[in-house]
Amino acid sequence: MDTLDFMLTSLVVIMIIVSLLSNVLVLICFLYSADIRKQVPGLFILNLTFCNLLITGLNMPMTLVGIIYKGQPGNEHFCQVLGFAETFLTANSMLSMAALSIDRWIAVVFPLSYHSKMRYRDAALMLAYTWLHSLTFPVVALCFSWIGYHHIYASCTLSGGQPDKESSFLIFTVVFHTLSFLVPFLVLCFTYLKVLKVARFHCKRIDVITMQTLVLLVDIHPSVRERCLEEQKRRRQRATKKISTFIGTFVLCFAPYVTTRLVELSPVVSINYHWGCLVKCLAYSKAVSDPFVYSLLRHQYKTTWRDIINKFLKSCSINSSAVSGEPPTRNCAQSNE
């Protein structure tokens, strides 16, 4: 194993560990918190989390095996199952992100009518379309034998198949990536830029009120005035950073892989093996970043985790008190020390 293969192997191992832990944490928060379960975006996040867990549990380990042994993991039928799952789960993940962006757009741009525009029934219909869309392409690919082991990406995925069907595979690949990557990307750009526009408008209104207040309060301490101005700056940057993170991670993780798959269709272009494995790892890295981008760094999930940890520590303290025969209050004090 050369240095690049070792680095790719280490990268995949790290991604598997981080992705499993972070997505399981999101799932635990969803099951623990009734407030999260009541919210409509929770359905999209749950669907995205399951997709990420399946990709992490099925496809990442087999790609790791392909990188290490430079060959197909398992027999042909097993590889077709993996390729079917990879195609379905990747498309489902991208469409789930688009659904989350639509939900945010409605919530921010149409706040008064959000509950009538985005109900559980509406979310279920969006998820139904997501599943139907995601299943259609791997089913078609399986019928035409376009799923198999691709040595450039060291994984079971979409593959060209027979030479007499190359034109059909080319059309299929372009349509698949257009509807599963380009359309969700355009939806993300449209919805989040609308959200950013509304956020900046509200920031301007708040800034005007803040400046008027600072002018009236002539005796205000300079440090307080400075903190108010600094908070204005942070408020303006907060929305931009979030929108940039949502769109940026989507493009960074998926665009190199999609572009490589499209460039690969040209008969005059040869794709380097290590580059193919790298862009495949970038596509997998979305399963690592999604829990942090959409869930774990949000206030509601942080609060849920604090509640879970406090409940766990309290339970441990009570159990240890029962074993030692000491009062629970004393034991808690000792544990705090």
Side-chain angles (χ1 to χ4, degrees), residues 166 170 262-271:
E166 286 185 358
L170 187 149
L262 295 176
V263 171
E264 178 195 0
L265 299 174
S266 173
V268 298
V269 178
S270 178
I271 305 298

Side-chain angles (χ1 to χ4, degrees), residues 148-164:
Y149 181 76
H150 204 311
H151 71 279
I152 292 178
Y153 307 102
S155 59
C156 298
T157 182
L158 295 177
S159 185
Q162 301 175 0
D164 59 338

Side-chain angles (χ1 to χ4, degrees), residues 11-185:
L11 178 62
V12 175
V13 171
I14 294 172
M15 287 195 303
I16 291 174
I17 296 172
V18 177
S19 180
L20 280 176
L21 291 176
S22 58
N23 282 285
V24 167
L25 292 182
V26 174
L27 191 58
I28 292 174
C29 287
F30 183 87
L31 296 175
Y32 180 84
S33 174
D35 292 335
I36 295 177
R37 292 196 302 271
K38 289 178 183 177
Q39 297 176 352
V40 173
L43 293 177
F44 302 129
I45 291 177
L46 181 64
N47 185 66
L48 182 61
T49 302
F50 273 120
C51 289
N52 291 336
L53 283 173
L54 289 174
I55 289 175
T56 305
L58 291 175
N59 297 101
M60 287 190 192
M62 293 301 102
T63 299
L64 179 63
V65 173
I67 294 174
I68 294 174
Y69 294 102
K70 298 288 194 302
Q72 176 178 314
N75 56 33
E76 191 66 29
H77 294 294
F78 179 66
C79 191
Q80 287 181 343
V81 171
L82 290 177
F84 185 97
E86 190 258 353
T87 306
F88 165 73
L89 294 171
T90 303
N92 201 330
S93 298
M94 289 190 277
L95 293 172
S96 297
M97 296 170 210
L100 279 167
S101 71
I102 293 173
D103 176 83
R104 285 296 86 203
W105 171 57
I106 296 175
V108 174
V109 180
F110 309 101
L112 299 180
S113 58
Y114 172 75
H115 293 290
S116 62
K117 290 179 180 293
M118 186 58 71
R119 295 164 294 182
Y120 270 98
R121 184 183 66 181
D122 302 315
L125 289 174
M126 294 175 67
L127 283 180
Y129 169 77
T130 297
W131 276 66
L132 179 63
H133 177 116
S134 305
L135 280 172
T136 300
F137 288 97
V139 167
V140 172
L142 193 62
C143 292
F144 285 92
S145 299
W146 288 337
I147 294 179
Y149 181 76
H150 204 311
H151 71 279
I152 292 178
Y153 307 102
S155 59
C156 298
T157 182
L158 295 177
S159 185
Q162 301 175 0
D164 59 338
K165 295 182 179 179
E166 286 185 358
S167 59
S168 301
F169 179 72
L170 187 149
I171 295 173
F172 171 83
T173 304
V174 171
V175 172
F176 171 66
H177 289 301
T178 299
L179 296 180
S180 300
F181 168 76
L182 182 60
V183 172
F185 170 67

